[in-house]
Structure formats: C-alpha cells, structure tokens
Amino acid sequence: MITRLLRTLTLIFAIGLLSLISGGCDSKKETPPPKKISVETPPPTIPKTTTSEGTDKNLVIQKKIHAQYAGSASCEPCHKEAYDDWKNSHHALAERAFDVALDGKSFEPAQEIKHGTLTSKVRLVDGFPELTTQAIGGETTFKPKLVFGVHPLRQLLIEGPGGRLQATELAFDPRDNTWFNVYGDEDRRPGEWGHWTGRGMNWNSMCASCHNTRLFKNYNWEKDTYNTIRAEMGVGCEACHGPAKKHVEWQQKHGASGKDDPTIALLSREESFEACGPCHARRGELTGDFVPGEKFLDHYLPVIPDETDIYYPDGQVRDEDYEFVSFLSSEMHTQGVRCFDCHNPHSAKRKLPGNELCLQCHKEKIDPLTHGNHPLGKEGSFCYDCHMPLTTYMQRHARRDHGFTIPDPTLTRDFKIPNACNRCHADQSTEWAIDWVKKWYGDKPPRHTQQRARTMALARQGDLKALDPMIELSRTEKNPMWRAIATGMLRMWIQNPKVEPELVARAKDPDPLVRSVAVRNIEMLLSPAKPELSKLTQELLKDPSRAVRVGAAWSLRQFIDPLSQAGKDLYQHLRLSLDQPGGSMQMGILTLDRGFTKDSLPYFERAIHWDPNSSPLRYNYAIALSMEGRTAEAAVQMEAACQIEPRNPNFHFSLGLAYAELNRFIDAEKAFQQALKLDANHSRAWYNLGQIQMKQGRHDKALETTQEGAQTAPDSPDFPYAEAYILYEMGRYEEAIDAANRAIKIVPSYEPAKHLIKILEEKLSQ
C-alpha cells in the first residue's frame, strides 16, 4: 500500500527544534537568504484555549518578586571595589538609555549610511537620536531611547506596537566610528522573519532576558502583545547574586553589629558557574525564570553538537553558539576549571595578560617558545591564538572558542574542519600546515580528541563505520557533554538493533544532559510492541532534572496529563516560545498529536504567517491538513516546502505521498523520482515509487523498482511483500509465494505476507 502523508511526521522537534527556536543575535547568519515563494500564506487565527503567560495574576506575582531586588547602586557603599569593576563592564552596559556623552558621536554630524540596496540616515536633534530607515510601510523616522551593548558594536532599540522593542540591523562600531549592517550584504526586507522589524530581531523574545536582570517576557498569544518587565536594566549585581533587598536592609540596620548576616546564601563554585550559562549558551527556555543558585538544566535545554552544521564535528563553534556549551565540552571543564578561574567575575576581563593566565596551571609542561614555535609576544605565540580561535559574528564581534581544541590540519584535509594554523595563514594550503605540524611535533599516535572528531564527522556522513566507536563514546567518554553528544548521534542509526540497548543504558546515565538526550531518541522507538520502553520513559517523567522530565513528557505527549508535574513542565516550556514561529509549530505538533487536529491548525497558520519562507513550518502544516482530510491544501504546502528547500529529499517524498492520495499518480511518480535523485538510498521513496507504478498498471516497471529499492533496506519485510503482491497481480503465483516467504523470514510475525500466501495457495490449488 502507498504510505499516507499523515504517517510521515518525523518530528523535526526531536532532532533539530532548538536550532529553530534558540538562534543567537546573529541568527541565520550562516544560512543563505531563503527563496521567496509565491504560495499564499494562511491568515492567522486564534485557538479557543488560553495559552498566554502574561496574565494579571502572573504580573502581581512578578512584581512581588521584583520588590525583593535592591538594584546595583545599593551594593556600592559596601562593595566599592567590585562595584567599580562592574559599573563600566559589558554586563553593566548591556542595555542602557541613550547617553549623549557616550553615544552622541555616532549621530553627529548627520550622515547617510548605505547598506545593501538601502540608504538610512542618522542625526542628533536637541540631544536625542533619530534614525530614518526602511520599516513596514516604507521609510520611517524613529527616535530610539535605548542602546544595546557598548563594545565592539552598539545597536538601537526601537519601540514597536504591542509592547515590542526591535533591535536595528544598523549598528555603530565605536572603534572606528562607523555604521554598518550586522547582516553584511544581505538585503533583508520588511515582512521577513529576519528583518529588523521581524520576530528574528524582537528584543522581548530574542535579546531581553540576557541584557537585563530578572526579566519576565509576558507574551500574550491571543493579542500577540508583550508586557515585558524587569528588575533592573542591564546585567546588574543581582543577575548573578540573586535578589538582595533583604541583605541591604539587614546591613543598614545591623551591619556594624558584627553578627552573621542571616540573609546571605553564598553560591557554591558550581552554582556560580551555572549562573553564567543562561546568557552564554545557545539554548531553549524551560521556565523563563532562572535564579542564581538553581541548576542550568532545570531552566534550559542547551543546543549541543549534532548532525547539523551548528558546530563543527570536533566541537568548535560554527554558528553563533556562544561559549558555555563549547566550554562544557572542553578538557578544561572536565578537569575542574570554571569561568572565574580566568575571568574577574565583576569586570569579566581576564585576570592576567597573555600567556600568564594559562601558565598558572601549565608552566610545568609547556614552554611557550618551544611549544608555540612563534616569536614570543607576536601573533601566534599566545595560547589563545591556537587553542581559542576567533570567529566573527555580526560583522564586527570577534569571539574566542572556549572548547580549547587542538589545531589539527589533517581534520581540515579530511573533513573540512577548520584549524587555527590556516585561520591565520589563510594564504597557505592545508598541506603546508600539515607539513609544519609534523616538522614541529613529529608523527604522534592519534589523540583521543582527534579520533572523536573523526567519528563525529563520519557519523554526519551516515557512515556505518562510525556506529561502534560512537557507541563506545556514549559509554566511556569522561566528559558528560561528549557522552550526551554521542548519545544524540546514535539516532543516525535508530533502527539498528545495537542502538536501542545503548539508549536504554544512557537513559540511566548519572548526568541529566545525557538522560535528556537519550529519552528524546527513545521516542523514535516507542511502540505498543515495546512496552518496556514506554515504562522507562514513564519513569523519567519523575526525573529530578526538569530537562529530562520535559523530554519524557514530549515523548509521551499523546497521553501526558497536563496537570502532572512533567505535563506542567512541558506546557510551560512550550508557552515560552509561542511568540516565535518554531514555538508555535511545537504547540501545533503537541495539539495535533493529542488528537485535536482542527485546534492545531491555528498554531501552524500563525507560524507560517510569521515566517512564510520556512520549509519545516510548511511541512508540518501539510501533515496537519492531511490529517484533517484537506489533502489538496496539504499538497500546496508541500509544494511550497519543496520550492523553499528544493534539495531536501524528504520534502519531495512527502509531496509524492500527497499527490498519491489525490490520485495524481504521474505527479507522484515525478516527486518520488526527484527524492531518489537527491538521495538514492531513500528506501520509502523506492517502495512508494514501485507502488505508484503498480497502480498505473506498469507491473514490470514496478517489479524492477521494488527489487532495486529492496537493496536499500535489506532488513525490511515490506519490499519482498510488495514484490510478492506485484507478482500476484501478474499471475506469477509461485514466484509470489517465494517473495512472501522472504518477508516472513525477515520478520516471522509479518501477517500481511502470511495472509497473501494463503490466497496464493488457494489460487494454485484451483
């Protein structure tokens, strides 16, 4: 039988959702501008159910919480040295009111700025800035009141409707007093998700929580508005230390008494470290309300290296991934190093200059001159030049990788993983770098990190040779982040019999990140035939880590009790991203999978309305339309997905399924053939292509296609059964029985083949 479209939902959430909803300030930088499509986007409608977080009741609670904050200025009298370190730091100036003394030179004299095909204007009027630029409705003049950042770039925040603030694509570099577009030569247009007026540059959703202290976004789904509030503008003292009003009041009354302050709850070394994570990790929100002293994984789901290009296979950052996850993957972290070992916690600057910082721990093993092979004090002689390579984001912001990787030009040669040597010596070849590394360090046995990177790179290519070493990594890797990464990569071979027992074991790993990744992969194996997996997942609903509970609840979303702790955790997680297309899609998938097909449609419709050039949104909307019986509309959405992302074989395959349901067999055949052109090992495309050809009465061609496709899935009984059915229709009964028996040999309980054999034997006995 031809597979139905509604059965092809592959849950993009399970493998790539966070990359959709937790992009950085430079979001989508690495991706070429999407192909604009002509398919009409559906009008957004409103579900009947209330899903907003910004209710009056919540606001009352939030204001009581904010009343516990004293503000950073209250710290200065007793902690002047720390306060002075902080007051001019990037944290303190992360977001601020426009300051003529600090920012005026960027607006005076008045000037025109050309970026892409557009021209914008800036000027100072009576001491206040004006920006004239393209917005929805054409060229508009704005009067920004807030500035974002201080060095090496500053953006403006523009007030928009519904409580919004939008970060401009134009930014000012104070080092050379120039304006520039953070997207470079991209020519983003009003109405696009990534334009400065769109949701990709919305302050409330994308920026505010990390540039302010104890912020509540308060998005209202029904009205599509915000009532965002914060305890203090900028990253204040209490953003890292927690609310301190009781401490300030106690000190004012009893500070001279010499008594111990009962209001102080000092953070442990690990708690202080985890307080850095929320703003220095690419991550998805779980609660929207992290408080210092709490666990990172109780509030966030980090984006970690996987089969996508968000990171390089060796763990180096590629997209805008910030520092926290790469540091978690480093040997430094494994050995107990934490942020404040290297950085002043109040100024955030390095504690010591140059190599002095690293040599505190490495001086007994490392001589900078003989190890680095560069003249001391020159570029290339510093530890960070080689082990913390720079990647520039937003055109001007160069950031160092905190994975502390070892430069390896052989990985560049074999897998195009960048190395620090050729990053600096871009005019030289990879072989040149390999020759120098051999000359300096000789031929050494492969390092563990090198073998790990090679395993990751091979796995991304779908190479089966990577499976066994990946399993070994998931078992024995000392670094929990890399165990989690390896566990996640096992989904590349999810149907391989070796994988299931490994995922079950990793679901019991002592590290919660590993458990959370394992349970999300186990979802793909859940079935009535495997009750033990359902039982394990149900047990994880009570895991002490919220990240694990949310993963388990998502895996069991069809049946989860919304009022259970795990159910509440899941719904809270989904509500927090409802103002973004990916988050609205998530809620749509949840609603769809719980059997409320009609109620799911508004979530998909609104997501597409917000981001019409997203192929995953179109794909999931097509699934919902198909399940609602609106197959013709589903086909239109799949056509749009294929138009946006023409080289995705799964989209062409799904389009073929939609055409087949509409009895458009010629179009279906073309779609399946295109899927196979893009992926010759797409077994389901082979299977359905054969079925379509049989439907058209082309039995000889169908038999040839099915036999060829069987080579891509030798462990599947579907192909020999399909072959048997084609032979049955051709009247070749004995050959059909042989084919059906091959299906039963693969899966002894395969009932369709057993039933067909009975029919065939009756035919032969007549």
Side-chain angles (χ1 to χ4, degrees):
M1 295 179 62
I2 297 172
T3 309
R4 291 204 56 207
L5 175 59
L6 61 87
R7 294 177 184 168
T8 69
L9 183 58
T10 55
L11 294 175
I12 292 168
F13 176 94
I15 61 172
L17 173 70
L18 288 176
S19 64
L20 288 171
I21 66 172
S22 58
C25 307
D26 206 16
S27 193
K28 291 192 177 181
K29 178 181 80 73
E30 300 287 352
T31 306
K35 183 180 290 187
K36 295 180 176 61
I37 61 173
S38 57
V39 176
E40 183 178 354
T41 59
T45 54
I46 305 298
K48 295 179 181 178
T49 55
T50 299
T51 52
S52 296
E53 54 168 325
T55 63
D56 291 339
K57 181 180 179 181
N58 285 345
L59 284 169
V60 170
I61 296 171
Q62 292 164 4
K63 288 179 179 178
K64 287 182 179 179
I65 291 172
H66 283 173
Q68 300 171 19
Y69 285 72
S72 297
S74 67
C75 304
E76 183 180 13
C78 298
H79 304 282
K80 183 165 176 46
E81 183 179 351
Y83 183 86
D84 287 346
D85 281 345
W86 167 83
K87 67 181 181 182
N88 291 314
S89 70
H90 289 194
H91 283 161
L93 301 175
E95 184 174 322
R96 55 198 170 75
F98 178 82
D99 183 344
V100 174
L102 187 61
D103 305 305
K105 62 182 178 181
S106 55
F107 288 86
E108 201 169 39
Q111 58 182 297
E112 291 188 348
I113 306 144
K114 295 188 180 298
H115 50 109
T117 61
L118 304 177
T119 300
S120 299
K121 303 171 186 175
V122 293
R123 64 173 184 167
L124 208 60
V125 179
D126 298 326
F128 293 97
E130 281 190 0
L131 168 67
T132 302
T133 191
Q134 285 293 319
I136 295 174
E139 191 173 81
T140 308
T141 297
F142 299 96
K143 297 183 178 181
K145 298 178 181 178
L146 298 177
V147 179
F148 219 36
V150 60
H151 181 90
L153 59 92
R154 302 169 188 175
Q155 290 172 274
L156 306 174
L157 292 177
I158 306 293
E159 292 182 354
R164 287 169 169 75
L165 286 174
Q166 299 292 135
T168 58
E169 63 188 4
L170 281 177
F172 180 75
D173 186 339
R175 296 170 299 183
D176 59 6
N177 296 328
T178 59
W179 286 91
F180 65 96
N181 189 329
V182 295
Y183 297 126
D185 294 330
E186 288 187 36
D187 216 358
R188 300 188 179 192
R189 295 291 175 171
E192 294 180 4
W193 180 87
H195 187 258
W196 79 266
T197 57
R199 289 174 189 267
M201 296 287 278
N202 173 250
W203 168 87
N204 312 71
S205 177
M206 304 294 284
C207 320
S209 65
C210 285
H211 284 254
N212 293 278
T213 302
R214 197 67 181 272
L215 181 135
F216 296 104
K217 181 170 64 174
N218 290 331
Y219 174 67
N220 186 300
W221 162 269
E222 289 78 13
K223 299 177 181 179
D224 190 25
T225 58
Y226 295 91
N227 189 1
T228 304
I229 60 174
R230 57 198 165 195
E232 181 180 0
M233 185 185 296
V235 182
C237 304
E238 291 158 297
C240 302
H241 293 282
K245 189 171 185 179
K246 289 182 179 179
H247 167 62
V248 171
E249 291 175 343
W250 192 93
Q251 287 292 328
Q252 289 172 344
K253 292 180 181 179
H254 309 290
S257 67
K259 297 179 181 179
D260 290 338
D261 187 341
T263 68
I264 292 179
L266 294 177
L267 300 181
S268 69
R269 177 176 170 84
E270 201 62 25
E271 287 171 338
S272 296
F273 168 67
E274 294 209 7
C276 302
C279 295
H280 290 273
R282 181 167 180 167
R283 78 292 185 279
E285 295 260 11
L286 292 179
T287 67
D289 190 25
F290 173 83
V291 179
E294 297 177 347
K295 293 183 181 299
F296 178 80
L297 288 175
D298 279 337
H299 295 274
Y300 303 97
L301 283 173
V303 177
I304 67 177
D306 56 15
E307 64 270 32
T308 69
D309 287 333
I310 294 176
Y311 291 83
Y312 289 105
D314 65 342
Q316 288 187 74
V317 296
R318 183 181 183 276
D319 210 338
E320 190 175 24
D321 302 315
Y322 307 104
E323 302 86 9
F324 193 69
V325 168
S326 59
F327 182 69
L328 286 173
S329 74
S330 73
E331 181 66 15
M332 295 290 188
H333 178 263
T334 304
Q335 295 297 329
V337 177
R338 297 296 180 260
C339 304
F340 301 145
D341 292 323
C342 302
H343 294 275
N344 178 312
H346 300 107
S347 68
K349 294 180 180 179
R350 292 193 300 273
K351 288 183 174 181
L352 292 170
N355 290 338
E356 291 181 40
L357 188 63
C358 305
L359 290 176
Q360 291 180 107
C361 298
H362 295 279
K363 62 183 177 182
E364 292 184 4
K365 293 184 178 181
I366 298 296
D367 172 46
L369 182 60
T370 58
H371 178 74
N373 292 288
H374 286 72
L376 291 180
K378 302 294 184 180
E379 188 175 8
S381 70
F382 298 106
C383 306
Y384 49 70
D385 287 331
C386 298
H387 299 290
M388 301 181 72
L390 287 167
T391 302
T392 299
Y393 300 98
M394 305 176 78
Q395 310 305 314
R396 305 291 177 97
H397 196 180
R399 304 177 198 166
R400 293 204 175 274
D401 193 311
H402 279 62
F404 299 96
T405 51
I406 298 172
D408 191 339
T410 65
L411 294 176
T412 309
R413 177 194 63 199
D414 298 339
F415 301 109
K416 295 184 171 29
I417 299 171
N419 71 84
C421 308
N422 288 118
R423 283 178 186 259
C424 286
H425 298 278
D427 59 330
Q428 299 290 346
S429 69
T430 302
E431 290 300 326
W432 171 88
I434 292 173
D435 290 342
W436 275 107
V437 169
K438 285 183 178 180
K439 180 179 178 180
W440 286 337
Y441 305 108
D443 288 317
K444 295 184 177 181
R447 300 179 310 277
H448 169 66
T449 54
Q450 183 191 67
Q451 293 173 315
R452 188 174 65 194
R454 289 183 176 277
T455 298
M456 279 288 292
L458 290 172
R460 287 188 179 186
Q461 297 171 3
D463 194 326
L464 186 59
K465 292 195 295 291
L467 175 56
D468 287 341
M470 192 65 74
I471 288 174
E472 186 65 18
L473 278 173
S474 74
R475 290 176 180 173
T476 62
E477 173 62 55
K478 293 180 180 179
N479 183 300
M481 173 60 70
W482 278 104
R483 285 206 310 279
I485 293 166
T487 300
M489 292 299 291
L490 292 180
R491 64 174 154 259
M492 299 289 289
W493 305 277
I494 194 66
Q495 298 302 329
N496 190 295
K498 293 181 179 180
V499 169
E500 182 179 322
E502 298 301 328
L503 293 178
V504 169
R506 299 296 82 72
K508 301 170 185 176
D509 192 277
D511 188 84
L513 181 59
V514 180
R515 298 197 302 275
S516 72
V517 173
V519 74
R520 289 173 182 275
N521 281 356
I522 286 172
E523 179 204 339
M524 293 181 271
L525 296 170
L526 293 176
S527 75
K530 297 181 178 181
E532 69 282 359
L533 292 183
S534 295
K535 182 180 179 182
L536 173 61
T537 307
Q538 289 169 1
E539 291 172 357
L540 292 171
L541 292 172
K542 299 178 181 179
D543 194 276
S545 172
R546 185 180 278 111
V548 181
R549 295 198 301 271
V550 168
W554 178 262
S555 297
L556 299 174
R557 61 192 171 278
Q558 289 176 281
F559 316 107
I560 190 72
D561 178 2
L563 299 180
S564 67
Q565 185 58 57
K568 291 177 181 177
D569 291 337
L570 176 62
Y571 274 89
Q572 173 67 359
H573 164 56
L574 296 181
R575 288 189 194 102
L576 286 169
S577 56
L578 268 177
D579 56 339
Q580 287 293 331
S584 192
M585 180 186 77
Q586 274 184 277
M587 189 66 85
I589 291 174
L590 175 69
T591 308
L592 179 69
D593 287 352
R594 289 181 69 82
F596 302 102
T597 307
K598 188 174 182 179
D599 290 341
S600 74
L601 297 178
Y603 294 109
F604 295 119
E605 290 165 358
R606 183 174 275 200
I608 292 173
H609 183 74
W610 288 339
D611 190 5
N613 296 316
S614 168
S615 53
L617 300 183
R618 298 279 183 176
Y619 170 76
N620 283 285
Y621 184 41
I623 299 294
L625 289 169
S626 176
M627 293 180 72
E628 187 69 2
R630 295 160 59 179
T631 310
E633 295 171 75
V636 171
Q637 294 302 321
M638 283 313 311
E639 288 169 347
C642 292
Q643 189 176 348
I644 297 166
E645 196 175 340
R647 298 197 60 77
N648 188 316
N650 288 321
F651 290 163
H652 291 282
F653 168 66
S654 297
L655 177 60
L657 298 180
Y659 284 151
E661 287 186 47
L662 294 168
N663 294 323
R664 294 170 57 180
F665 296 142
I666 295 176
D667 290 331
E669 184 172 3
K670 290 179 181 178
F672 292 140
Q673 288 171 338
Q674 181 61 23
L676 290 170
K677 182 178 179 181
L678 295 168
D679 180 5
N681 292 313
H682 199 303
S683 61
R684 301 314 297 174
W686 280 110
Y687 174 85
N688 284 279
L689 177 59
Q691 294 291 294
I692 283 290
Q693 291 165 341
M694 182 179 70
K695 284 274 187 182
Q696 297 176 79
R698 296 156 57 202
H699 290 83
D700 288 333
K701 185 62 178 175
L703 183 62
E704 178 186 337
T705 296
T706 302
Q707 290 172 338
E708 187 173 356
Q711 299 175 36
T712 66
D715 296 329
S716 170
D718 293 343
F719 281 97
Y721 172 71
E723 181 183 341
Y725 197 88
I726 296 168
L727 290 165
Y728 162 66
E729 290 208 341
M730 297 173 74
R732 295 159 61 176
Y733 299 151
E734 291 182 353
E735 294 174 77
I737 290 176
D738 289 340
N741 278 321
R742 291 204 308 274
I744 294 171
K745 186 176 180 180
I746 295 171
V747 178
S749 61
Y750 196 71
E751 291 299 326
K754 292 180 180 180
H755 180 67
L756 181 58
I757 287 174
K758 287 182 180 180
I759 296 174
L760 289 164
E761 288 175 342
E762 289 176 5
K763 291 283 187 182
L764 287 171
S765 66
Q766 292 175 0

